[in-house]
Amino acid sequence: MHDPPRILVVDDNEANLDIAKMRLESQGYEVVTAVDGEDALERVRESRPDLLLLDIMMPKLDGIEVTRRLKSDASLPFVPIILVTAKADTKDVVAGLEAGGDDYLTKPFDHASLVARVRSMLRIKALHDTVEAQREELKGLNAGLESRVAAQVSEIERIGRLRRFLSPQLDEMIVSSGEERIFESHRRDIVVLFCDLRGFTAFSETAEPEEVMAVLRSYHEALGPLIHHHEGTLMRFTGDGLMVFFNDPLPCPDPAARAVRLAVEMRAAVATLATEWRRRGHEIGFGVGVAQGYATLGRIGFKDHIDYTAMGTVTNLAARLCDAARDGQILISQRVAAAVDRAAALESIGEIPLKGLNRPGIVHHVVGLR
């Protein structure tokens, strides 16, 4: 890699180029720019960048075709590509990733997200370059050593694919530690947070698709940074529903308190959004459920698609608490309440029946933080 790392920013909008260049140079990176896809291909061969920040929608050659050509050119070294799209539709993102893109950002992106993604991709680039250098040094050694290096490269790639579940802080710790067994099946006491929007189904049935996507975009952009800030693991991301858990894959000393603090900040963030939604005639609320208990966690899937998941009664309990929550409520289980009663103001609701669970649970509502 170059010192400082060299980043090629490609966008046909001059204002976007200037903004990205200013933000990246403020972090000490060397920035090269290109104004369209054909220009980008030339610049890659001339400047040999360490990373591409590549706009998808461009004249001449779009970002997906540029990605496809770069990834298929064996004469070029490995260069991570972060795709940038202004569209909420995931089709462009999926096509870009299938063409060989390594990550993506949706415009308008905030400074923290840009810096975190760039740092993460440059770490992978540095790891890749190190492994490639080691590969050259090991050519004279026996096949057993070469096999071990290949296994290390494969593990780095697997961890890279699992980055989407983790906050940037956890991602950095896991990659830097080199821990190979952290995602193997195991049992652990975790805290699970479920949240979703009240009235979203009715809203989506009557609203235009563009309105629905605009609401989801603002919702995800508001809650995503909060999850990263509290170092939660985002396991499920389906429409208006989010599932986050704490104390895994890395243990933390206060998982219940973290989850409740996150829930309170989420509620405040969505309340701000709801004011604008109501101004547009959309009556949408927000509910949260939080539970603590043991679950079995690990990787599931197959070679080309791996997910990380938790299985156990605790996930069902958190989901049912979320279902039972009214607009603005954060419902927590008795065990979570016992763990946070000094840190949060709680209101006892008593026992309420929860769908799919044999016994009613003692439930508390989080009024606020002390």
Side-chain angles (χ1 to χ4, degrees), residues 22-284:
M22 177 184 65
R23 289 181 175 179
L24 293 172
E25 287 181 341
S26 71
Q27 299 297 311
Y29 300 122
E30 177 188 350
V31 179
V32 181
T33 61
V35 296
D36 57 46
E38 293 180 352
D39 189 21
L41 294 174
E42 294 180 7
R43 295 280 182 168
V44 168
R45 291 175 172 82
E46 291 173 359
S47 61
R48 288 294 199 266
D50 300 303
L51 173 67
L52 260 70
L53 195 65
L54 179 61
D55 189 29
I56 289 182
M57 300 299 294
M58 293 186 299
K60 298 181 182 179
L61 290 179
D62 63 19
I64 296 173
E65 181 59 26
V66 171
T67 300
R68 187 177 293 111
R69 293 191 186 187
L70 291 177
K71 294 295 184 177
S72 64
D73 191 339
S75 67
L76 294 175
F78 167 72
V79 181
I81 298 176
I82 300 177
L83 298 165
V84 180
T85 177
K87 288 187 174 183
D89 192 340
T90 59
K91 291 182 180 179
D92 284 340
V93 172
V94 170
L97 295 177
E98 288 180 345
D102 301 280
D103 206 341
Y104 73 93
L105 276 169
T106 303
K107 297 178 187 177
F109 46 78
D110 60 75
H111 181 73
S113 296
L114 173 64
V115 171
R117 299 288 178 89
V118 166
R119 286 177 178 169
S120 183
M121 284 292 105
L122 288 175
R123 284 197 301 271
I124 291 177
K125 167 66 172 172
L127 286 169
H128 187 278
D129 289 352
T130 299
V131 172
E132 287 301 311
Q134 291 175 346
R135 191 194 302 275
E136 291 299 318
E137 294 175 3
L138 292 172
K139 277 185 177 179
L141 299 179
N142 60 44
L145 287 176
E146 292 179 354
S147 176
R148 289 175 57 188
V149 171
Q152 291 174 1
V153 173
S154 176
E155 185 62 21
I156 289 172
E157 292 173 347
R158 286 196 294 270
I159 291 176
R161 288 195 296 268
L162 287 165
R163 286 175 51 256
R164 64 184 181 273
F165 301 112
L166 307 174
S167 68
Q169 302 95 315
L170 294 181
D171 167 39
E172 185 171 356
M173 292 173 66
I174 290 171
V175 173
S176 62
S177 71
E179 177 57 60
E180 297 183 359
R181 297 173 295 175
I182 198 164
F183 292 114
E184 292 180 0
S185 180
H186 58 280
R187 186 167 173 81
R188 182 170 293 166
D189 186 20
I190 63 171
V191 176
V192 181
L193 180 154
F194 260 99
C195 66
D196 64 15
L197 297 174
R198 314 286 90 152
F200 181 78
T201 301
F203 158 70
S204 62
E205 288 175 350
T206 58
E208 294 295 333
E210 292 80 5
E211 292 180 288
V212 176
M213 295 306 298
V215 166
L216 285 178
R217 188 185 309 113
S218 60
Y219 173 62
H220 294 153
E221 288 175 351
L223 300 194
L226 298 179
I227 296 170
H228 285 176
H229 175 71
H230 290 280
E231 299 184 356
T233 301
L234 179 58
M235 188 180 82
R236 188 173 302 162
F237 195 107
T238 54
D240 66 315
L242 301 178
M243 178 178 175
V244 182
F245 55 83
F246 294 85
N247 205 39
D248 189 86
L250 294 181
C252 64
D254 54 348
R258 288 182 185 229
V260 169
R261 286 196 296 268
L262 172 60
V264 171
E265 292 186 18
M266 282 179 160
R267 178 172 61 186
V270 177
T272 301
L273 293 175
T275 300
E276 175 62 21
W277 294 339
R278 281 193 296 271
R279 192 179 68 81
R280 299 180 182 180
H282 309 323
E283 289 296 330
I284 302 174

Side-chain angles (χ1 to χ4, degrees), residues 306-344:
I306 296 175
D307 279 335
Y308 188 68
T309 191
M311 297 183 180
T313 304
V314 63
T315 60
N316 294 333
L317 177 55
R320 298 314 177 199
L321 288 171
C322 179
D323 291 342
R326 299 191 302 272
D327 178 24
Q329 280 193 321
I330 300 171
L331 299 187
I332 62 176
S333 66
Q334 179 70 10
R335 186 173 173 194
V336 174
V340 303
D341 61 347
R342 294 185 180 181

